[in-house]
Amino acid sequence: MKKLVLVAAIAAAMPVLAQADVTIYGSVRAGIDSLKYNGQTTTGVDDYNSRIGFKGSEDLGNGLKAVWQVENGFAVDGVASKSGSGTGTLANRTSFVGLEGSFGKVTLGNQLDIFSETEATDNLYGPRRDSMGIPFPLYEGTDVFGAYGDGFTKNGIRYDSPDLNGFTAIVEYGAGEGRSSTTGKQTGNNFGARLAYTHSGFFGAYANMTQLNVLGSDKNSTVHRVEFGYDANNLYLAATVQKATLYGDAWAKNTDGSYAISNLASFGIANTGLNKLNSHSWAINAAYTIGAFKPSFVYSKRSGVKVDGQSQDWGASQWAAAVDYSLSKRTMVQAGYGQVKENDGAASALGMSDAKTTLTWLMLKHNF
C-alpha cells in the first residue's frame, strides 16, 4: 500500500516537474586517509565534502528572472558531522532565492561568504575527519585564536554584479539576529565585499570580511585578503596574502570546562573577556595539466601573531603535494600528502605534544 501511495505521489508531481526549470547536481567524494595528529595516527575511510543540490529559474519577462538554489552537504561515509555542511540537514550549503537581470543578481538565504569565493590557492581536497582536519592552506577558516570566513553567511543578502569588461563585484551582509544581554548591542552581524578582475588568463581579487560588535562590544573583527595568478595553457599559478584582526575571549572555555587555549598562564594574556589578535598569512599554489594528470603543490605560512599587542610564537608553516588523475569528465582520483608544522608556542597553545600534523590521502570523486 505504501509503495502504491509513493508511486501515485511521484506520478502526480511529474507534470509540475516537467514545467519547471530544475537542475539536479552534486558531487560524491570519499577516500582512504591516514592522519597523524598530536603523535597519534588514525587511518580510515572518510567523506570529502560530498553534496547534492537543486537549482532553477523562471523567466519573468523584460530580461528579469527568478533564481533559486537549495544545496545540501552530507557525509557519504555515514558519520555525520556535529556542525557545518556535513550534518546532512537540509539547505546547510548554498541555498537562496532571488532575482537576476542586466543589473546583476540579488539573493536571500544561506550564502557562500566572500572568502569562499576568494580561495585561489585552495585547490586540494581534504577529509572531514569527523571534526578533525588539517588546513590546506593555513589562512582558511581558523587560527590559533578565533575563526572567521571561508564558509557560509547565514541570514544573508548578497549582490553579484554583471561582468563589466572583466571586472566583477560582490557585496554581502549577514544578519546575526542576536543581542548581547550585557550591552544590548546586536551581535553576529557581518558584511563583506569583493572586487575581482580577469583578463587573458590573468586574475586578481581583493576581499574583506568584517564581523560587527564581537561579544557585544564595540569592536569589529576584520580580515583583508588579496589573491592573484594565472590560469591558462594548462598552467595554474596563484598567490594569496591575508591580514587578520580578530577579537574574542582568549580565556573562553570548551563545553567540558577546559580552556580553548592551553597553557594560558605562560603567554601573559590578560583575562579581560575581550582580547585582540593580529596575524598575517600567505600561500602559493602551482599546478600543471599533462593529459589526464594534474600534479599540484601548495605552501602556506602564518606569522606576525600578536595578542593585545604582545608578540606570540603562534606561527606555522604548511605544504602539500597531490596528483589528480581524470578517469572521465566527471570522475577523478586524487592522491596526496601534506603536513602542518606549528611553532613551539602555537603547539603549546593548541595543547599538542607533537607540533607536526601529517595527512596522506587517496580520494575518488564523481560529479553529476
Side-chain angles (χ1 to χ4, degrees):
M1 184 63 181
K2 289 183 179 179
K3 291 183 178 180
L4 291 176
V5 172
L6 178 61
V7 171
I10 294 174
M14 288 304 291
V16 177
L17 292 174
Q19 298 177 33
D21 179 10
V22 180
T23 299
I24 302 175
Y25 67 94
S27 183
V28 183
R29 310 169 181 182
I32 302 171
D33 49 73
S34 180
L35 174 70
K36 182 180 180 182
Y37 177 79
N38 208 16
Q40 297 185 340
T41 300
T42 55
T43 301
V45 174
D46 284 294
D47 176 74
Y48 282 65
N49 291 298
S50 299
R51 74 284 307 266
I52 185 172
F54 309 85
K55 60 184 178 180
S57 63
E58 180 187 10
D59 188 353
L60 302 177
N62 298 318
L64 184 66
K65 62 181 179 180
V67 293
W68 64 271
Q69 180 172 326
V70 177
E71 187 172 294
N72 186 67
F74 61 92
V76 74
D77 63 347
V79 183
S81 303
K82 295 181 180 179
S83 61
S85 63
T87 59
T89 56
L90 189 63
N92 59 21
R93 293 181 58 87
T94 304
S95 302
F96 60 77
V97 63
L99 297 172
E100 185 175 4
S102 59
F103 58 86
K105 182 169 65 174
V106 177
T107 52
L108 299 165
N110 186 26
Q111 315 269 8
L112 267 181
D113 70 33
I114 294 296
F115 285 160
S116 292
E117 303 278 12
T118 317
E119 297 180 339
T121 49
D122 179 20
N123 291 319
L124 299 183
Y125 297 88
R128 294 188 193 277
R129 180 46 71 178
D130 313 329
S131 80
M132 181 185 294
I134 182 169
F136 298 149
L138 285 170
Y139 64 74
E140 188 181 68
T142 60
D143 213 319
V144 174
F145 168 65
Y148 193 54
D150 297 286
F152 298 90
T153 296
K154 299 183 183 301
N155 309 315
I157 178 170
R158 169 170 162 159
Y159 168 71
D160 290 73
S161 77
D163 189 317
L164 302 173
N165 298 316
F167 286 96
T168 56
I170 303 173
V171 180
E172 187 175 66
Y173 175 80
E177 300 183 350
R179 192 168 296 277
S180 170
S181 59
T182 56
T183 66
K185 292 181 180 292
Q186 188 169 342
T187 59
N189 293 347
N190 62 86
F191 68 87
R194 181 179 191 268
L195 179 64
Y197 178 72
T198 59
H199 179 71
S200 301
F202 293 94
F203 63 88
Y206 163 77
N208 168 266
M209 289 189 67
T210 299
Q211 185 177 33
L212 305 175
N213 302 329
V214 178
L215 298 178
S217 71
D218 60 353
K219 302 297 184 180
N220 304 325
S221 291
T222 185
V223 183
H224 303 273
R225 183 179 296 176
V226 175
E227 66 178 20
F228 52 91
Y230 177 79
D231 184 12
N233 303 314
N234 295 332
L235 176 64
Y236 184 85
L237 298 171
T240 303
V241 180
Q242 177 172 292
K243 178 182 179 182
T245 300
L246 303 175
Y247 287 90
D249 183 6
W251 291 76
K253 293 183 178 181
N254 299 313
T255 54
D256 62 1
S258 62
Y259 286 104
I261 298 178
S262 301
N263 305 307
L264 270 168
S266 65
F267 299 117
I269 301 173
N271 187 0
T272 61
L274 185 69
N275 305 94
K276 176 183 178 182
L277 177 140
N278 298 99
S279 70
H280 299 85
S281 55
W282 58 269
I284 54 173
N285 182 206
Y288 189 77
T289 301
I290 310 169
F293 292 91
K294 186 177 77 172
S296 59
F297 177 82
V298 60
Y299 178 86
S300 65
K301 192 172 182 66
R302 180 180 68 233
S303 61
V305 182
K306 294 182 179 180
V307 178
D308 297 333
Q310 180 180 343
S311 295
Q312 302 288 346
D313 184 29
W314 288 2
S317 59
Q318 167 274 322
W319 69 267
V323 177
D324 297 354
Y325 179 70
S326 296
L327 298 169
S328 71
K329 290 183 178 180
R330 296 185 297 172
T331 304
M332 61 89 75
V333 176
Q334 183 181 86
Y337 170 86
Q339 68 174 45
V340 173
K341 176 67 167 60
E342 303 285 351
N343 288 5
D344 291 342
S348 177
L350 293 168
M352 299 172 64
S353 58
D354 186 343
K356 186 168 75 172
T357 300
T358 65
L359 175 69
T360 306
W361 73 94
L362 176 64
M363 180 210 67
L364 176 65
K365 181 185 79 168
H366 176 75
N367 295 334
F368 60 91

